[in-house]
Amino acid sequence: MIKTQDLTKIFQTDEIETSALNSVNFNVQKGEFVAIMGPSGCGKSTLLNIVGLLDNPTSGSYLFNGVDVSQMRESQRTKLRKGNIGFVFQSFNLIDELNVYENVEMPLIYLKMSASERKARVEAILERMKISHRRKHFPRQLSGGQQQRVAIARAVAANPGLILADEPTGNLDSKNGLEVMNLLTELNREGTTIVMVTHSMHDADFAHRIVNLFDGQIITEVKKQMGE
Amino acid sequence: MKNIFKSTFRNFVRKPATNLINLLGLAVSLAMVIILSVYSYSELTTDNYHKNGDRLYLYADMSGRMYMPAILKDQIDLNVPEVESAVRLAGSWEPPVFQAGDHDPITSDLVFADVDFFKLFTYEAVEGNLENALKEPMTVVLTQSLANKLFGKDHALGKTVKMNNDKELTVSAVINEPKANTSLKFSAITSNSTRKIVQANGDEFTDWGWCDFQTFILLKEGVKPDETAKKITALFPKNKDDQQDYSKLKLNPFKEVYFSQFSLFGSDYLHCGDKRKVMILILVAAMVLMIALINFINISSSQWVDKIRQTGVLKVIGARRSNILWNVLFEAFSLFIMSLTLAVILVGVAAPVIGNYTGIHFNQHLLYSPVFLLISLAGTFTLSVIFSLVPAFRISSSRAVDNLKKTVENRSSNSIFRGVLVSAQFIIAIVLIAFTVLVQKQVNFGSSNLGFNQDNIIGIKLTPQLSQKREVLKKLLEEKPIIEKISFTQYYPGKFFSHWGSNQVIDGEKKQFSFDTFNADASFFGMTGLQLTQGRFFSDDLTTDKNKMVVNETFVRDHKLKNPLGTKMVMGMEVDAGLSEIVGIVKDFHYKSFNQPIGSLVIQNKSYASYCLVGLNSIDFQSLHHSLEEIKKISDGLSPAFPVEISFLDQAVEKMYQSELQFRRTFSLFAGCAIVICCLGILAMSIFACQRRIKEIGIRKVNGARISEVIAMLNKDFVKWVIIAFVIATPIAWYAMHKWLENFAYKTELSWWIFAMAGFLALGIALLTVSWQSWKAATRNPVEALRYE
């Protein structure tokens, strides 16, 4: 599903050039659950953004479902991203002015889905995430765990094949964190590919494979035995 | 204190774009307010400077009869002791030509007045003594500028000027330039005893039937004007046939004369202004100020959020409430003061340019007078306090802990409040745009619906020398192939024509006639393209056509003529004046300004003319100007002693509408500024909106929103407010426009497209301005927006 070769990303400010990724070869198979670990500033988020088609690499190639996307224009990337990739962030990134229902509905609107179909989908997903009783509430009326469940609901609403999660439990207490991890695992079992960036070894244990990043390079890859 | 300065400066620099917008908008609007208020002040105080102004009156019916017989003054002097002095004033029929020694002749103007003129009206003498300046006949008082033109830098006193290449006048005094805000405009003034010599006119000074003068009255202290007016009116000899209405004759305070809508026949010395226009401009200034203040409120309230967080920190480290209040007020006040300074500089730089373009002139020294500075400082201070008091209290009274949290952010009531203000701005902008279009439409309507042809016609003003050599001039002009037709007439747009009143016996019935009249020859009709409704035009070939007349439709209607063709009337005051016959009726056309109703008109086939109209083959612009040069050469050669005025007829028509034109320019200039300030405002608003929604934009893009969808979302809010503004503005604009048009005798239609155009323009401007920011926000990489929380 994801195949990168010599992926390099250099950030340029006025005078300083910072190399965030350095010749990264990163592959993910369909149905995998991969955790990316490493210290702050090692390039985890940058890798995730490129994988999520939010950003272009400076050089190197990236095949997403067999299509080279490394040189695509933004509009093309947007088109490809829609319905294929869902995002979950550490800080939830819900829109404050929209209620729970509207937040989850948003990606479906951009997919030009009909209103009735949207309604059915959103209702079902809210039900599944156990927050349908909160559908009329606004993000700031919810607890952190509830907000992250809404964010996950939004990420999976369009039924994407890939979910990218950037420290999904970082702002949550352990109980809520565990709940989120269970949700992700469940989604993965149903066939959704998951790539997750995390600091927490505990969270990383849920993954099939752990990739360690340091200074923009992949240092180690640990593959766990299935069914362990 | 030092800290306040520092933080004010830093706050300004921190958000340069929006603060600069705030500053510029305020400065431009204050500049406009300064210009318009100084101009309005100067207009509204017209003629206020005469020492005896409180006792000074004009005896007239301002809505009609302005001309009085000369003998009235003699009777007032004898019979009305309440009057301290009466002075008759009259312009000259034709602008005189003055020549001093070998200098070039100069076309000027001339006012005839009685000896006491300088007792009634206050002027400063530069040379000579004003008290006796008009005592002797054949003396003249000049303004400084005319004296300089005639004599250069030499003293003018005691020297002579030749008038119309004939009689000589001695300069008895030179006066300072009259103030700009006066209804009396002249550059030379001479006595009525001189008039008897240089412009002898029948029994003008002895007969009650000759009405050529305006009579100004200086009352003694404590005298009631109404009673005195009745006494003066009683002096007119009673005549049974006289159907004139004497009841409207009054003593009108001189200070009010300027804003009375009187009309004189071509005399150029007494001018009137238009209070309505002054009021409209004051209103425009107020609206512009309002737009800028709304910008100020919008921008400063958008910065509350930032400021509240900032003051939260201050409070935590122990600042008192008053410190913070004072801080916010000081910041607002310093912004206003900077704007005012900028505005004064702007006015200094732009006033001459604006004056040239719009005809708005005012005394620039007023700008630097202490009174003005004091008033503007006080005004600025008041404005800044009023408009920053609410935010100041809100910021200073919020709790420190709340301030540090983000709970104050994104209150929907705030954004509705700002939306309402943006709507208010757009209401003003739409009304102004619609009004600008309407004023333009009315001016176009006026000059294009006059009812006669104005194109490719050149008018040569006949000087005395040209009048004598008329046939030679005609022959020389006819030799030029480019010249198609030549006509001699008394008519020229915007120039003097006669108004006659007489009693006639028609079909054995006595009737009072009153009409405008001028002479023209047969070719006048063909050249101007007047349309005949009955009868015929003159023919040059018939010697019998000498005493024929053509009248207009209004003449027939006003005088209720059943069989107009063939009607014979006595024309002229001369004893031997024969009967003239009406041979044709022309369709009504606007021989007077468009703002006046078309009057009764008689065109006489008499030879006396003051203009030679030259019709050219329709040709391109360049050869038009070439032929103008040639015509000028011919006429200058025939008139060495008198400068010849040559102009295009259409330009002369345009000149008739000078004040409309200037009003249009003034209005559109200031409306334009208002719209620019409005744009600056929404630009700032859109910058804030995008900043506020930066995270939302990022989230939406991550979730699949395309750039166009993001732009549409950001623009939607503004479009909504513009549409609301349009709905509210349309009836307001309609009402204002309707009211304005009521003042015109002939008015353009209030078409629906004016409103549509104003609405679309406003929407277009708003979209362009907002889209610029929306585009910037929508094309940002969402990763950046979401990276920092």
Side-chain angles (χ1 to χ4, degrees), chain A residues 49 55 74 81-82 87 91 93 95 98 106 110 112 154, chain B residues 695-696 699-706 709 781 783 786 789:
Chain A
N49 288 335
D55 216 346
E74 189 184 332
R81 194 166 64 222
K82 258 197 270 188
F87 290 87
S91 50
N93 278 337
I95 295 174
L98 302 182
M106 185 175 60
Y110 292 125
K112 308 264 185 291
R154 185 180 62 191
Chain B
K695 188 184 129 198
E696 180 188 345
I699 296 169
R700 283 180 184 274
K701 284 187 77 178
V702 166
N703 280 286
R706 282 179 293 149
E709 284 165 332
N781 192 338
V783 176
L786 299 177
E789 245 313 285

PDB file of all heavy atoms in Angstrom, chain A residues 49 55 74 81-82 87 91 93 95 98 106 110 112 154, chain B residues 695-696 699-706 709 781 783 786 789:
ATOM      1  N   ASN A  49       3.049  13.134   7.507  1.00  0.00           N
ATOM      2  CA  ASN A  49       2.412  14.102   6.618  1.00  0.00           C
ATOM      3  C   ASN A  49       2.620  13.754   5.147  1.00  0.00           C
ATOM      4  O   ASN A  49       1.718  13.923   4.332  1.00  0.00           O
ATOM      5  CB  ASN A  49       2.949  15.515   6.883  1.00  0.00           C
ATOM      6  CG  ASN A  49       2.438  16.066   8.211  1.00  0.00           C
ATOM      7  OD1 ASN A  49       1.385  15.646   8.685  1.00  0.00           O
ATOM      8  ND2 ASN A  49       3.188  16.975   8.810  1.00  0.00           N
ATOM      9  N   ASP A  55       1.846  16.669   2.327  1.00  0.00           N
ATOM     10  CA  ASP A  55       3.069  17.364   1.975  1.00  0.00           C
ATOM     11  C   ASP A  55       3.810  16.571   0.910  1.00  0.00           C
ATOM     12  O   ASP A  55       3.600  15.370   0.780  1.00  0.00           O
ATOM     13  CB  ASP A  55       3.945  17.485   3.239  1.00  0.00           C
ATOM     14  CG  ASP A  55       4.686  18.803   3.264  1.00  0.00           C
ATOM     15  OD1 ASP A  55       4.735  19.478   2.210  1.00  0.00           O
ATOM     16  OD2 ASP A  55       5.211  19.154   4.340  1.00  0.00           O
ATOM     17  N   GLU A  74      -1.108  19.917  -5.407  1.00  0.00           N
ATOM     18  CA  GLU A  74      -1.949  19.832  -4.226  1.00  0.00           C
ATOM     19  C   GLU A  74      -3.359  19.344  -4.563  1.00  0.00           C
ATOM     20  O   GLU A  74      -3.946  18.523  -3.857  1.00  0.00           O
ATOM     21  CB  GLU A  74      -2.019  21.184  -3.517  1.00  0.00           C
ATOM     22  CG  GLU A  74      -2.711  21.028  -2.162  1.00  0.00           C
ATOM     23  CD  GLU A  74      -2.912  22.347  -1.448  1.00  0.00           C
ATOM     24  OE1 GLU A  74      -2.123  23.272  -1.681  1.00  0.00           O
ATOM     25  OE2 GLU A  74      -3.884  22.427  -0.687  1.00  0.00           O
ATOM     26  N   ARG A  81      -6.533  11.833  -1.636  1.00  0.00           N
ATOM     27  CA  ARG A  81      -6.633  11.685  -0.192  1.00  0.00           C
ATOM     28  C   ARG A  81      -8.084  11.429   0.235  1.00  0.00           C
ATOM     29  O   ARG A  81      -8.369  10.643   1.113  1.00  0.00           O
ATOM     30  CB  ARG A  81      -6.105  12.963   0.456  1.00  0.00           C
ATOM     31  CG  ARG A  81      -5.834  12.843   1.928  1.00  0.00           C
ATOM     32  CD  ARG A  81      -5.016  14.014   2.403  1.00  0.00           C
ATOM     33  NE  ARG A  81      -5.758  15.255   2.252  1.00  0.00           N
ATOM     34  CZ  ARG A  81      -5.261  16.386   1.804  1.00  0.00           C
ATOM     35  NH1 ARG A  81      -3.998  16.451   1.428  1.00  0.00           N
ATOM     36  NH2 ARG A  81      -5.988  17.459   1.707  1.00  0.00           N
ATOM     37  N   LYS A  82      -8.976  12.195  -0.452  1.00  0.00           N
ATOM     38  CA  LYS A  82     -10.391  12.128  -0.096  1.00  0.00           C
ATOM     39  C   LYS A  82     -10.908  10.698  -0.111  1.00  0.00           C
ATOM     40  O   LYS A  82     -10.800  10.003  -1.111  1.00  0.00           O
ATOM     41  CB  LYS A  82     -11.198  12.940  -1.125  1.00  0.00           C
ATOM     42  CG  LYS A  82     -11.608  14.301  -0.619  1.00  0.00           C
ATOM     43  CD  LYS A  82     -12.706  14.878  -1.474  1.00  0.00           C
ATOM     44  CE  LYS A  82     -12.137  15.680  -2.627  1.00  0.00           C
ATOM     45  NZ  LYS A  82     -13.190  16.392  -3.350  1.00  0.00           N
ATOM     46  N   PHE A  87      -7.443  10.965   9.175  1.00  0.00           N
ATOM     47  CA  PHE A  87      -6.426  11.447  10.107  1.00  0.00           C
ATOM     48  C   PHE A  87      -6.955  11.523  11.532  1.00  0.00           C
ATOM     49  O   PHE A  87      -8.086  11.941  11.772  1.00  0.00           O
ATOM     50  CB  PHE A  87      -5.953  12.838   9.705  1.00  0.00           C
ATOM     51  CG  PHE A  87      -5.149  12.846   8.440  1.00  0.00           C
ATOM     52  CD1 PHE A  87      -5.769  12.945   7.196  1.00  0.00           C
ATOM     53  CD2 PHE A  87      -3.758  12.763   8.497  1.00  0.00           C
ATOM     54  CE1 PHE A  87      -5.020  12.946   6.039  1.00  0.00           C
ATOM     55  CE2 PHE A  87      -3.012  12.784   7.336  1.00  0.00           C
ATOM     56  CZ  PHE A  87      -3.646  12.875   6.104  1.00  0.00           C
ATOM     57  N   SER A  91      -4.141  16.546  19.205  1.00  0.00           N
ATOM     58  CA  SER A  91      -5.012  17.589  19.772  1.00  0.00           C
ATOM     59  C   SER A  91      -6.403  17.546  19.151  1.00  0.00           C
ATOM     60  O   SER A  91      -7.086  18.563  19.080  1.00  0.00           O
ATOM     61  CB  SER A  91      -4.361  18.947  19.588  1.00  0.00           C
ATOM     62  OG  SER A  91      -3.964  19.098  18.241  1.00  0.00           O
ATOM     63  N   ASN A  93      -8.193  18.244  16.913  1.00  0.00           N
ATOM     64  CA  ASN A  93      -8.486  19.076  15.749  1.00  0.00           C
ATOM     65  C   ASN A  93      -9.926  18.958  15.261  1.00  0.00           C
ATOM     66  O   ASN A  93     -10.195  18.719  14.093  1.00  0.00           O
ATOM     67  CB  ASN A  93      -7.529  18.762  14.592  1.00  0.00           C
ATOM     68  CG  ASN A  93      -6.209  19.479  14.770  1.00  0.00           C
ATOM     69  OD1 ASN A  93      -6.161  20.499  15.477  1.00  0.00           O
ATOM     70  ND2 ASN A  93      -5.163  18.977  14.157  1.00  0.00           N
ATOM     71  N   ILE A  95     -13.544  21.035  14.777  1.00  0.00           N
ATOM     72  CA  ILE A  95     -13.884  22.430  14.530  1.00  0.00           C
ATOM     73  C   ILE A  95     -14.839  22.907  15.621  1.00  0.00           C
ATOM     74  O   ILE A  95     -15.924  22.363  15.812  1.00  0.00           O
ATOM     75  CB  ILE A  95     -14.496  22.602  13.127  1.00  0.00           C
ATOM     76  CG1 ILE A  95     -13.431  22.269  12.078  1.00  0.00           C
ATOM     77  CG2 ILE A  95     -15.006  24.024  12.931  1.00  0.00           C
ATOM     78  CD1 ILE A  95     -13.927  22.264  10.669  1.00  0.00           C
ATOM     79  N   LEU A  98     -18.578  23.723  14.977  1.00  0.00           N
ATOM     80  CA  LEU A  98     -19.482  22.675  14.519  1.00  0.00           C
ATOM     81  C   LEU A  98     -19.739  21.686  15.646  1.00  0.00           C
ATOM     82  O   LEU A  98     -18.852  21.416  16.467  1.00  0.00           O
ATOM     83  CB  LEU A  98     -18.865  21.929  13.325  1.00  0.00           C
ATOM     84  CG  LEU A  98     -18.510  22.760  12.097  1.00  0.00           C
ATOM     85  CD1 LEU A  98     -17.958  21.854  11.000  1.00  0.00           C
ATOM     86  CD2 LEU A  98     -19.700  23.546  11.589  1.00  0.00           C
ATOM     87  N   MET A 106     -18.419  16.203   7.984  1.00  0.00           N
ATOM     88  CA  MET A 106     -17.647  17.061   7.085  1.00  0.00           C
ATOM     89  C   MET A 106     -16.958  16.346   5.919  1.00  0.00           C
ATOM     90  O   MET A 106     -17.137  16.729   4.780  1.00  0.00           O
ATOM     91  CB  MET A 106     -16.648  17.872   7.903  1.00  0.00           C
ATOM     92  CG  MET A 106     -15.885  18.883   7.085  1.00  0.00           C
ATOM     93  SD  MET A 106     -14.850  19.872   8.130  1.00  0.00           S
ATOM     94  CE  MET A 106     -13.837  18.602   8.826  1.00  0.00           C
ATOM     95  N   TYR A 110     -17.438  16.727   1.555  1.00  0.00           N
ATOM     96  CA  TYR A 110     -16.440  16.973   0.521  1.00  0.00           C
ATOM     97  C   TYR A 110     -16.348  15.825  -0.473  1.00  0.00           C
ATOM     98  O   TYR A 110     -15.784  15.963  -1.542  1.00  0.00           O
ATOM     99  CB  TYR A 110     -15.073  17.257   1.161  1.00  0.00           C
ATOM    100  CG  TYR A 110     -15.073  18.579   1.904  1.00  0.00           C
ATOM    101  CD1 TYR A 110     -14.716  18.658   3.240  1.00  0.00           C
ATOM    102  CD2 TYR A 110     -15.467  19.757   1.250  1.00  0.00           C
ATOM    103  CE1 TYR A 110     -14.734  19.862   3.923  1.00  0.00           C
ATOM    104  CE2 TYR A 110     -15.486  20.952   1.919  1.00  0.00           C
ATOM    105  CZ  TYR A 110     -15.133  21.005   3.246  1.00  0.00           C
ATOM    106  OH  TYR A 110     -15.157  22.196   3.897  1.00  0.00           O
ATOM    107  N   LYS A 112     -19.028  14.723  -1.733  1.00  0.00           N
ATOM    108  CA  LYS A 112     -20.251  14.972  -2.489  1.00  0.00           C
ATOM    109  C   LYS A 112     -21.259  13.829  -2.327  1.00  0.00           C
ATOM    110  O   LYS A 112     -21.917  13.394  -3.260  1.00  0.00           O
ATOM    111  CB  LYS A 112     -19.949  15.157  -3.990  1.00  0.00           C
ATOM    112  CG  LYS A 112     -18.882  16.193  -4.310  1.00  0.00           C
ATOM    113  CD  LYS A 112     -19.521  17.526  -4.651  1.00  0.00           C
ATOM    114  CE  LYS A 112     -18.492  18.541  -5.092  1.00  0.00           C
ATOM    115  NZ  LYS A 112     -17.594  19.004  -4.029  1.00  0.00           N
ATOM    116  N   ARG A 154     -14.728  10.752  12.730  1.00  0.00           N
ATOM    117  CA  ARG A 154     -14.572  11.546  11.518  1.00  0.00           C
ATOM    118  C   ARG A 154     -13.569  10.876  10.568  1.00  0.00           C
ATOM    119  O   ARG A 154     -13.775  10.857   9.356  1.00  0.00           O
ATOM    120  CB  ARG A 154     -14.109  12.962  11.878  1.00  0.00           C
ATOM    121  CG  ARG A 154     -14.048  13.892  10.688  1.00  0.00           C
ATOM    122  CD  ARG A 154     -13.584  15.268  11.086  1.00  0.00           C
ATOM    123  NE  ARG A 154     -12.228  15.225  11.629  1.00  0.00           N
ATOM    124  CZ  ARG A 154     -11.647  16.231  12.247  1.00  0.00           C
ATOM    125  NH1 ARG A 154     -12.313  17.375  12.434  1.00  0.00           N
ATOM    126  NH2 ARG A 154     -10.424  16.138  12.708  1.00  0.00           N
TER     127      ARG A 154
ATOM    128  N   LYS B 695      -7.018  27.294  11.868  1.00  0.00           N
ATOM    129  CA  LYS B 695      -7.038  25.896  12.265  1.00  0.00           C
ATOM    130  C   LYS B 695      -8.176  25.168  11.538  1.00  0.00           C
ATOM    131  O   LYS B 695      -7.988  24.075  11.000  1.00  0.00           O
ATOM    132  CB  LYS B 695      -7.235  25.811  13.787  1.00  0.00           C
ATOM    133  CG  LYS B 695      -7.082  24.409  14.325  1.00  0.00           C
ATOM    134  CD  LYS B 695      -7.383  24.367  15.813  1.00  0.00           C
ATOM    135  CE  LYS B 695      -8.380  23.268  16.089  1.00  0.00           C
ATOM    136  NZ  LYS B 695      -9.052  23.407  17.375  1.00  0.00           N
ATOM    137  N   GLU B 696      -9.327  25.840  11.514  1.00  0.00           N
ATOM    138  CA  GLU B 696     -10.483  25.226  10.854  1.00  0.00           C
ATOM    139  C   GLU B 696     -10.174  24.939   9.381  1.00  0.00           C
ATOM    140  O   GLU B 696     -10.507  23.870   8.857  1.00  0.00           O
ATOM    141  CB  GLU B 696     -11.693  26.163  10.963  1.00  0.00           C
ATOM    142  CG  GLU B 696     -12.928  25.575  10.293  1.00  0.00           C
ATOM    143  CD  GLU B 696     -14.074  26.557  10.225  1.00  0.00           C
ATOM    144  OE1 GLU B 696     -14.030  27.576  10.936  1.00  0.00           O
ATOM    145  OE2 GLU B 696     -15.005  26.298   9.437  1.00  0.00           O
ATOM    146  N   ILE B 699      -8.029  21.881   9.149  1.00  0.00           N
ATOM    147  CA  ILE B 699      -8.777  20.650   9.403  1.00  0.00           C
ATOM    148  C   ILE B 699      -9.620  20.284   8.183  1.00  0.00           C
ATOM    149  O   ILE B 699      -9.656  19.137   7.740  1.00  0.00           O
ATOM    150  CB  ILE B 699      -9.695  20.814  10.630  1.00  0.00           C
ATOM    151  CG1 ILE B 699      -8.845  21.048  11.872  1.00  0.00           C
ATOM    152  CG2 ILE B 699     -10.584  19.588  10.796  1.00  0.00           C
ATOM    153  CD1 ILE B 699      -9.649  21.471  13.076  1.00  0.00           C
ATOM    154  N   ARG B 700     -10.287  21.294   7.638  1.00  0.00           N
ATOM    155  CA  ARG B 700     -11.147  21.013   6.490  1.00  0.00           C
ATOM    156  C   ARG B 700     -10.327  20.510   5.298  1.00  0.00           C
ATOM    157  O   ARG B 700     -10.748  19.609   4.574  1.00  0.00           O
ATOM    158  CB  ARG B 700     -11.924  22.267   6.090  1.00  0.00           C
ATOM    159  CG  ARG B 700     -13.089  22.539   7.040  1.00  0.00           C
ATOM    160  CD  ARG B 700     -13.847  23.777   6.635  1.00  0.00           C
ATOM    161  NE  ARG B 700     -14.898  24.093   7.595  1.00  0.00           N
ATOM    162  CZ  ARG B 700     -16.120  23.572   7.557  1.00  0.00           C
ATOM    163  NH1 ARG B 700     -16.434  22.714   6.618  1.00  0.00           N
ATOM    164  NH2 ARG B 700     -17.013  23.901   8.465  1.00  0.00           N
ATOM    165  N   LYS B 701      -9.144  21.116   5.113  1.00  0.00           N
ATOM    166  CA  LYS B 701      -8.325  20.668   3.990  1.00  0.00           C
ATOM    167  C   LYS B 701      -7.849  19.230   4.197  1.00  0.00           C
ATOM    168  O   LYS B 701      -7.862  18.417   3.271  1.00  0.00           O
ATOM    169  CB  LYS B 701      -7.132  21.606   3.797  1.00  0.00           C
ATOM    170  CG  LYS B 701      -7.538  22.910   3.130  1.00  0.00           C
ATOM    171  CD  LYS B 701      -6.350  23.769   2.790  1.00  0.00           C
ATOM    172  CE  LYS B 701      -5.630  23.259   1.560  1.00  0.00           C
ATOM    173  NZ  LYS B 701      -4.497  24.126   1.214  1.00  0.00           N
ATOM    174  N   VAL B 702      -7.461  18.918   5.431  1.00  0.00           N
ATOM    175  CA  VAL B 702      -7.036  17.552   5.730  1.00  0.00           C
ATOM    176  C   VAL B 702      -8.167  16.576   5.440  1.00  0.00           C
ATOM    177  O   VAL B 702      -7.958  15.458   4.974  1.00  0.00           O
ATOM    178  CB  VAL B 702      -6.585  17.453   7.205  1.00  0.00           C
ATOM    179  CG1 VAL B 702      -6.482  15.998   7.635  1.00  0.00           C
ATOM    180  CG2 VAL B 702      -5.249  18.148   7.385  1.00  0.00           C
ATOM    181  N   ASN B 703      -9.393  17.032   5.696  1.00  0.00           N
ATOM    182  CA  ASN B 703     -10.546  16.162   5.486  1.00  0.00           C
ATOM    183  C   ASN B 703     -11.115  16.235   4.070  1.00  0.00           C
ATOM    184  O   ASN B 703     -12.259  15.873   3.842  1.00  0.00           O
ATOM    185  CB  ASN B 703     -11.627  16.475   6.502  1.00  0.00           C
ATOM    186  CG  ASN B 703     -11.313  15.822   7.821  1.00  0.00           C
ATOM    187  OD1 ASN B 703     -11.439  14.619   7.982  1.00  0.00           O
ATOM    188  ND2 ASN B 703     -10.835  16.628   8.755  1.00  0.00           N
ATOM    189  N   GLY B 704     -10.321  16.784   3.163  1.00  0.00           N
ATOM    190  CA  GLY B 704     -10.703  16.659   1.759  1.00  0.00           C
ATOM    191  C   GLY B 704     -11.296  17.887   1.104  1.00  0.00           C
ATOM    192  O   GLY B 704     -11.804  17.797  -0.004  1.00  0.00           O
ATOM    193  N   ALA B 705     -11.258  19.053   1.778  1.00  0.00           N
ATOM    194  CA  ALA B 705     -11.792  20.251   1.133  1.00  0.00           C
ATOM    195  C   ALA B 705     -10.818  20.746   0.076  1.00  0.00           C
ATOM    196  O   ALA B 705      -9.618  20.788   0.312  1.00  0.00           O
ATOM    197  CB  ALA B 705     -12.033  21.340   2.159  1.00  0.00           C
ATOM    198  N   ARG B 706     -11.369  21.105  -1.100  1.00  0.00           N
ATOM    199  CA  ARG B 706     -10.515  21.675  -2.131  1.00  0.00           C
ATOM    200  C   ARG B 706     -10.325  23.164  -1.855  1.00  0.00           C
ATOM    201  O   ARG B 706     -11.076  23.769  -1.089  1.00  0.00           O
ATOM    202  CB  ARG B 706     -11.144  21.468  -3.512  1.00  0.00           C
ATOM    203  CG  ARG B 706     -10.944  20.052  -4.022  1.00  0.00           C
ATOM    204  CD  ARG B 706     -11.602  19.896  -5.368  1.00  0.00           C
ATOM    205  NE  ARG B 706     -13.049  20.001  -5.237  1.00  0.00           N
ATOM    206  CZ  ARG B 706     -13.836  20.489  -6.194  1.00  0.00           C
ATOM    207  NH1 ARG B 706     -13.313  20.954  -7.300  1.00  0.00           N
ATOM    208  NH2 ARG B 706     -15.136  20.531  -6.017  1.00  0.00           N
ATOM    209  N   GLU B 709     -13.312  25.230  -2.440  1.00  0.00           N
ATOM    210  CA  GLU B 709     -14.338  25.067  -1.400  1.00  0.00           C
ATOM    211  C   GLU B 709     -14.011  25.891  -0.162  1.00  0.00           C
ATOM    212  O   GLU B 709     -14.902  26.468   0.472  1.00  0.00           O
ATOM    213  CB  GLU B 709     -14.480  23.580  -1.030  1.00  0.00           C
ATOM    214  CG  GLU B 709     -15.241  22.793  -2.074  1.00  0.00           C
ATOM    215  CD  GLU B 709     -15.083  21.281  -1.938  1.00  0.00           C
ATOM    216  OE1 GLU B 709     -14.035  20.819  -1.431  1.00  0.00           O
ATOM    217  OE2 GLU B 709     -16.003  20.572  -2.348  1.00  0.00           O
ATOM    218  N   ASN B 781      -0.276  25.511   3.433  1.00  0.00           N
ATOM    219  CA  ASN B 781      -0.154  24.096   3.744  1.00  0.00           C
ATOM    220  C   ASN B 781      -0.865  23.822   5.071  1.00  0.00           C
ATOM    221  O   ASN B 781      -0.546  24.428   6.089  1.00  0.00           O
ATOM    222  CB  ASN B 781       1.328  23.745   3.865  1.00  0.00           C
ATOM    223  CG  ASN B 781       1.540  22.254   3.903  1.00  0.00           C
ATOM    224  OD1 ASN B 781       0.619  21.507   4.245  1.00  0.00           O
ATOM    225  ND2 ASN B 781       2.738  21.823   3.559  1.00  0.00           N
ATOM    226  N   VAL B 783      -0.584  21.533   7.069  1.00  0.00           N
ATOM    227  CA  VAL B 783       0.313  20.991   8.087  1.00  0.00           C
ATOM    228  C   VAL B 783       0.795  22.100   9.020  1.00  0.00           C
ATOM    229  O   VAL B 783       0.840  21.952  10.235  1.00  0.00           O
ATOM    230  CB  VAL B 783       1.516  20.301   7.409  1.00  0.00           C
ATOM    231  CG1 VAL B 783       2.498  19.822   8.455  1.00  0.00           C
ATOM    232  CG2 VAL B 783       1.030  19.154   6.541  1.00  0.00           C
ATOM    233  N   LEU B 786      -1.819  23.161  11.508  1.00  0.00           N
ATOM    234  CA  LEU B 786      -2.151  22.200  12.551  1.00  0.00           C
ATOM    235  C   LEU B 786      -0.957  21.838  13.433  1.00  0.00           C
ATOM    236  O   LEU B 786      -1.115  21.216  14.471  1.00  0.00           O
ATOM    237  CB  LEU B 786      -2.712  20.927  11.914  1.00  0.00           C
ATOM    238  CG  LEU B 786      -3.989  21.147  11.114  1.00  0.00           C
ATOM    239  CD1 LEU B 786      -4.424  19.851  10.454  1.00  0.00           C
ATOM    240  CD2 LEU B 786      -5.088  21.681  12.014  1.00  0.00           C
ATOM    241  N   GLU B 789      -0.197  24.162  18.339  1.00  0.00           N
ATOM    242  CA  GLU B 789      -1.507  24.313  18.973  1.00  0.00           C
ATOM    243  C   GLU B 789      -1.417  25.364  20.037  1.00  0.00           C
ATOM    244  O   GLU B 789      -0.429  25.434  20.735  1.00  0.00           O
ATOM    245  CB  GLU B 789      -1.923  22.968  19.569  1.00  0.00           C
ATOM    246  CG  GLU B 789      -3.124  22.409  18.894  1.00  0.00           C
ATOM    247  CD  GLU B 789      -4.220  23.439  18.721  1.00  0.00           C
ATOM    248  OE1 GLU B 789      -4.883  23.770  19.720  1.00  0.00           O
ATOM    249  OE2 GLU B 789      -4.430  23.916  17.584  1.00  0.00           O
TER     250      GLU B 789
END
